[in-house]
Amino acid sequence: MVTIVLPTRNEATIIGDTLRRLLAFLAANLPEPWRVIVADNASTDATRTIVRELATHESRLELFELPNAGKGRAVLAAWTRADRSCSMLHA
């Protein structure tokens, strides 16, 4: 499983277009199973709402919400979550 983690914070102006382009590229070019985790760290704009809406149309897109800001913290938390869920899938 290929997992791509995108840390975000207040990206409402670009997140929709960015994710649509990324998802289309992955669907067209990556034969392996994949997923995209958006690790949102304390956005105060519509970033989470936009990601949630896109995720209703793409099951391989996940939103991971963190209450505190910090890009490194977001990436580490999302990778840890991804590792756990992959372990559960292969157990």
Side-chain angles (χ1 to χ4, degrees), residues 1 84-91:
M1 165 87 61
R84 275 193 230 130
S85 64
C86 283
S87 296
M88 287 185 256
L89 290 173
H90 299 294

Side-chain angles (χ1 to χ4, degrees), residues 15-29:
I15 195 68
D17 185 52
T18 299
L19 285 174
R20 281 188 285 277
R21 290 174 54 206
L22 176 60
L23 296 171
F25 176 83
L26 293 172
N29 295 288

